Amino acid sequence: MDKLKVLFAASECYPFAKSGGLGDVIGALPKAFPKDEVDCRVILPKYESIPWKYVKEFEYLTNFWVKIGQESQYVGLFKYEFEGVTYYFVDNEHYFKRPNLYGYYDDAERFVYFCRAVLEAIPYLDFYPDVIHSHDWQTALIPFLLKEQYAWHYTNTKTVFTIHNMKYQGEYGFDDVKGILNLDYFPAQMEFYKNVNFMKGAMYTADLVTTVSPSYAEEIKDPYYGEGLDGVARDISWKEIGILNGIDEQTYNPQTDESLFVPYAHSQKKKGENKAKLQEYLGLPMKDHVPIIAMITRLVDQKGIDLIMGVIHDILQMDIQFIILGTGDSEYENKLKEIAYQYPDKMRAIIDFNEDLSRKIYAGADMFLIPSKFEPCGLTQMISMRYGTIPIVRETGGLKDSVQYYNNVSGEGNGFSFKTYNAHDMLFTIQKAVGMYYDQPDQWKHLMDNAFNTHYDWRLAADIYEYWYKKITGRL
Ligand code: ADP
C-alpha cells in the first residue's frame, strides 16, 4: 500500500518558531513516524523571527493569490528539507513580517489567511495529503473550510484536529470576521453565544479530534476544564481521543545538549557540576547541598502562578534556592521580580524567553515545580525528568498521566504530586520533597534514577496517531 500522506498545518514548529509546547510537538512528531509508512510534512507561516541560518536554505516554489474579503493577498511558497522532514512555508510580509508570532489586533485575519493559503497551496505542492492535521485555534478553520468551501477539491482528504489548549479558541464577533471568511451565512458549527468560535467549528467538522493526554480528553467534558466547550466535547466524544505527547529525546538529551555547561548521562555528580555553574551564572551562592527548585513557564493563570504568590515567603523560608524563567502577564512578571529582589541569596526571576538558559536550568535544578490549574499535556515535566530533575506537579491532565508519586517503600514513582488546587497542599508537597532531599539521600538518588529512566518517546504516540490516520482513511 502507498505511504500515508499527512500534512500538518500549524502556527509553531521548533526550531523555526516556538512560543510553547505546540512548537515542541510540531517539531518532533513528524520525525517520529516510520518513514516507509507515513510521509508527514509540515506547513507553517514564514515568520520574520525564523533564524536566518534556515531561511537562507529555503527553496522558492511559486506564488499565487488568495481572496481575503475584498482583497487579494499574496502567497509565496517555500520548501525546506530538514532532518528528514519536508517543511513548507507560507510567505506574506504584511501578515508575518512582525517581531512576535501572536498578539496582534488582526490575529484572526492573519490565521484565516493562513488556513485559506494552506488549502489553496496544496495543488502546487506535488503532495496530495490523505490527512490534513491541524492544531489549535490558529489552524482550526481548515476542517471547516475544507468541508464548506473546498469539498470538491479534497474529496479523499480527511481532517484531524488536535486541541493543545482549550483556553485559546479563536472567538470573534461574526460581523468582524464574516468578510474575511467570505461567508454570507452564520455557520452553525461555529456558533458560540452569537460569536463565531474557530475551535468549536473544528471540533464539529474534523473527522477526528484529539487532545494531548487521555486525562485532558476526559477533563474537557467537565465545565471546570471545558472553557465553555465542555458540551461540545461531550457531544463529539465518539470521535475524540487523548494521546499523550512525548518529547524529542534527541533534542532534549543531556549527553549532547550544547547549551549545558557539562554534558552528562545518568550522573548525579556531573549534574551537580551543572548546578554549581548555574548558581555561578545567575549569581546565586554556590552551595551544592542546597536544592534548587525551578520553574520554566508562561506566566499566566493556567500555570498556577497565583499558588506560588500565595506561599512564596513560606517556600523561601526553607533552605532552598528558587529559579523562575518565564514571560507573560506583566503583573506576575513585576511581582516575581520584586520578590526576587527581596531574596537576593535565594531567588532569581528571569523575565525572558530563553531556550539556552532553559536547558541550563533543566540540567542544574534538583526539582521542577508545575502547579498548573489545568495542563493539557505539559512537556516541562518530561524534559525535566530527562535531565534527572524531579517534577512536583498538580495532578491534572498530562501531568497526572506522566508523573507518579514516589513511593519510598516500593521504590516506584518518578516525582511528587498534589491533587487539589490549593497553595498549602502545594507547599506541603514541596516540603515533603525538600525533606526527602535532605534526609534521605539514598531515596533521592533512587528517585533520580527513576526519573532518568522515564521515557516519553514520541514513537509511542506516533504509533497511535498512525493507527487513527489509517482508521479514518479506511486503511484498516
Ligand atoms: P505550554 O505549551 O502551555 O506553554 P508546555 O509545558 O507544553 O507548556 O511547553 C512549554 C515549552 O516552552 C517547554 O519546551 C518549555 O521549556 C518552553 N518554555 C516555556 N517558557 C519558556 C521560557 N521563558 N524560556 C524558554 N523556554 C520556555
Side-chain angles (χ1 to χ4, degrees):
M1 191 173 264
D2 284 352
K3 275 194 219 179
L4 193 72
K5 296 193 191 70
V6 180
L7 182 65
F8 275 26
S11 60
E12 297 187 21
C13 177
Y14 181 83
F16 309 115
K18 163 177 161 182
S19 82
L22 175 64
D24 284 313
V25 174
I26 307 302
L29 178 53
K31 286 190 235 162
F33 292 110
K35 290 271 167 295
D36 51 341
E37 292 173 28
V38 182
D39 182 355
C40 181
R41 305 188 181 189
V42 184
I43 186 162
L44 302 159
K46 185 170 171 287
Y47 297 110
E48 190 193 16
S49 54
I50 299 174
W52 176 243
K53 65 175 177 184
Y54 304 119
V55 178
K56 70 181 178 25
E57 307 290 335
F58 286 7
E59 174 198 347
Y60 170 79
L61 290 182
T62 187
N63 73 72
F64 58 94
W65 298 77
V66 293
K67 201 102 174 119
I68 300 294
Q70 297 305 312
E71 309 274 329
S72 280
Q73 291 291 353
Y74 173 85
V75 182
L77 260 188
F78 288 81
K79 182 176 176 185
Y80 181 46
E81 308 272 347
F82 177 67
E83 296 185 345
V85 175
T86 302
Y87 297 88
Y88 300 103
F89 292 86
V90 168
D91 181 32
N92 178 302
E93 296 200 345
H94 166 62
Y95 291 125
F96 300 126
K97 194 171 165 45
R98 307 184 191 188
N100 299 318
L101 308 188
Y102 323 117
Y104 297 100
Y105 73 96
D106 59 348
D107 277 356
E109 183 174 329
R110 295 170 72 222
F111 289 101
V112 170
Y113 158 82
F114 179 65
C115 291
R116 199 174 283 286
V118 169
L119 288 166
E120 300 210 6
I122 289 166
Y124 299 96
L125 297 186
D126 192 19
F127 180 77
Y128 185 91
D130 302 301
V131 176
I132 303 178
H133 188 158
S134 55
H135 300 264
D136 268 354
W137 79 265
Q138 294 90 342
T139 51
L141 269 181
I142 289 177
F144 170 82
L145 287 177
L146 189 146
K147 292 229 159 74
E148 293 287 304
Q149 298 178 359
Y150 293 85
W152 52 274
H153 236 89
Y154 295 111
T155 41
N156 291 321
T157 300
K158 301 290 179 192
T159 52
V160 177
F161 176 65
T162 294
I163 301 168
H164 296 258
N165 195 331
M166 197 97 168
K167 175 99 183 158
Y168 309 100
Q169 300 176 356
E171 187 192 339
Y172 299 98
F174 181 58
D175 287 340
D176 298 332
V177 294
K178 67 178 182 205
I180 55 174
L181 284 171
N182 296 356
L183 276 181
D184 50 13
Y185 62 96
F186 199 117
Q189 305 99 316
M190 283 205 271
E191 198 274 331
F192 190 72
Y193 299 105
K194 305 216 162 33
N195 287 339
V196 288
N197 183 312
F198 294 171
M199 186 171 272
K200 180 177 173 186
M203 290 170 78
Y204 273 128
T205 52
D207 296 299
L208 177 74
V209 176
T210 74
T211 61
V212 287
S213 69
S215 286
Y216 193 61
E218 285 310 307
E219 286 173 351
I220 58 172
K221 295 173 191 157
D222 184 290
Y224 182 81
Y225 292 101
E227 304 287 343
L229 291 181
D230 47 291
V232 181
R234 290 192 296 275
D235 211 20
I236 61 143
S237 59
W238 58 275
K239 60 167 183 177
E240 190 231 349
I241 50 162
I243 304 173
L244 190 68
N245 282 339
I247 54 168
D248 185 334
E249 296 208 329
Q250 302 304 322
T251 305
Y252 294 111
N253 181 351
Q255 249 179 314
T256 54
D257 191 333
E258 288 175 3
S259 295
L260 303 200
F261 295 111
V262 185
Y264 64 98
H266 286 236
S267 162
Q268 210 170 357
K269 182 167 165 288
K270 290 222 171 114
K271 185 165 164 59
E273 291 172 27
N274 279 286
K275 175 171 170 176
K277 296 264 188 206
L278 178 66
Q279 288 168 322
E280 184 181 14
Y281 185 74
L282 296 177
L284 284 165
M286 290 171 68
K287 297 180 180 170
D288 63 353
H289 67 283
V290 172
I292 296 180
I293 304 175
M295 291 183 76
I296 298 169
T297 182
R298 290 183 293 120
L299 298 172
V300 294
D301 285 346
Q302 173 196 338
K303 300 292 180 178
I305 314 297
D306 53 340
L307 296 193
I308 307 289
M309 296 301 180
V311 291
I312 186 77
H313 298 290
D314 302 88
I315 295 175
L316 289 162
Q317 286 317 307
M318 289 184 271
D319 200 6
I320 56 116
Q321 294 177 349
F322 185 57
I323 298 171
I324 181 160
L325 168 66
T327 55
D329 294 353
S330 54
E331 200 182 318
Y332 285 145
E333 293 183 349
N334 293 333
K335 195 90 201 184
L336 285 165
K337 278 193 286 191
E338 206 179 294
I339 301 165
Y341 187 72
Q342 292 171 34
Y343 293 89
D345 286 346
K346 289 194 134 176
M347 178 170 167
R348 289 290 176 275
I350 305 114
I351 307 305
D352 188 15
F353 190 93
N354 186 329
E355 182 78 33
D356 182 68
L357 178 58
S358 75
R359 289 159 182 264
K360 291 182 164 62
I361 296 174
Y362 283 121
D366 297 288
M367 300 168 202
F368 199 93
L369 183 58
I370 319 172
S372 303
K373 191 174 281 175
F374 66 92
E375 195 59 73
C377 177
L379 298 176
T380 56
Q381 77 281 16
M382 297 180 183
I383 304 169
S384 56
M385 287 191 273
R386 177 95 173 116
Y387 287 72
T389 304
I390 305 304
I392 303 173
V393 306
R394 175 164 174 258
E395 291 163 27
T396 181
L399 298 173
K400 186 167 149 189
D401 294 343
S402 57
V403 177
Q404 287 82 41
Y405 202 106
Y406 181 67
N407 178 326
N408 57 10
V409 178
S410 69
E412 287 169 2
N414 51 15
F416 294 86
S417 61
F418 59 100
K419 207 177 186 74
T420 313
Y421 190 72
N422 172 297
H424 283 91
D425 284 10
M426 175 187 76
L427 176 65
F428 178 72
T429 311
I430 298 172
Q431 285 165 340
K432 291 274 274 195
V434 171
M436 182 183 288
Y437 179 89
Y438 274 114
D439 303 333
Q440 296 172 290
D442 290 346
Q443 291 280 5
W444 190 265
K445 171 145 189 341
H446 190 75
L447 171 55
M448 270 178 77
D449 286 341
N450 288 0
F452 273 130
N453 289 327
T454 302
H455 292 282
Y456 288 105
D457 192 291
W458 266 113
R459 272 170 298 190
L460 294 172
D463 279 351
I464 307 176
Y465 280 107
E466 186 181 345
Y467 169 85
W468 284 98
Y469 294 148
K470 286 186 173 156
K471 189 144 175 108
I472 58 172
T473 54
R475 294 178 178 225
L476 281 185

